[in-house]
Amino acid sequence: MSALKSKFWVDALIRRAELGLAAVYVIRRGDEDAGAVLVKVVSSPTLAHLYVPSRDDQGERMWTRRRETDEPGLDAWCRKRIDQDPDLWLIEIEDRQGRHFLTEPVENP
């Protein structure tokens, strides 16, 4: 079974967030076919969460939420990852409720 292309997956995430009345932005556009996607959720001016993709034991996509931290700290971490992987996407969702709109399982640290 082939994986879903990154651009198609990102477009679906954007649509879900918009339907939920959240603001969503493509901060960095990565490889349209196979670029990994980081999802940053900003719930207040001082609080943000970052969701990083991974795979479970069966090879299915899941997400790991990095510790809650300030937005500048997450931005610095994302810049380092982008320097290492130029195919990376960065999506930012601004939602007061802190919703991520991901449909796959999320593992909290």
Side-chain angles (χ1 to χ4, degrees):
M1 181 168 86
S2 65
L4 201 55
K5 293 190 183 277
S6 298
K7 183 174 182 333
F8 184 80
W9 186 91
V10 165
D11 288 345
L13 175 66
I14 290 169
R15 181 75 174 139
R16 286 191 304 274
E18 288 175 341
L19 287 172
L21 302 178
V24 60
Y25 308 95
V26 177
I27 303 299
R28 183 166 196 294
R29 189 174 291 276
D31 182 88
E32 292 193 359
D33 293 328
V37 181
L38 300 176
V39 178
K40 182 173 80 168
V41 177
V42 179
S43 54
S44 76
T46 59
L47 183 61
H49 309 274
L50 184 67
Y51 297 87
V52 180
S54 59
R55 298 281 174 187
D56 65 14
D57 295 338
Q58 289 76 41
E60 298 295 320
R61 185 193 330 235
M62 60 178 289
W63 296 87
T64 301
R65 189 183 79 180
R66 291 186 49 87
R67 287 184 301 120
E68 296 175 1
T69 188
D70 60 283
E71 189 174 4
L74 286 181
D75 289 341
W77 189 88
C78 289
R79 278 191 300 276
K80 288 179 188 175
R81 287 287 309 266
I82 290 167
D83 287 346
Q84 296 169 350
D85 182 359
D87 294 334
L88 201 63
W89 290 74
L90 177 57
I91 307 303
E92 181 174 316
I93 298 171
E94 293 180 1
D95 182 68
R96 290 244 183 250
Q97 298 172 41
R99 297 173 294 170
H100 50 65
F101 300 97
L102 300 168
T103 57
E104 300 90 355
V106 175
E107 178 183 86
N108 293 312

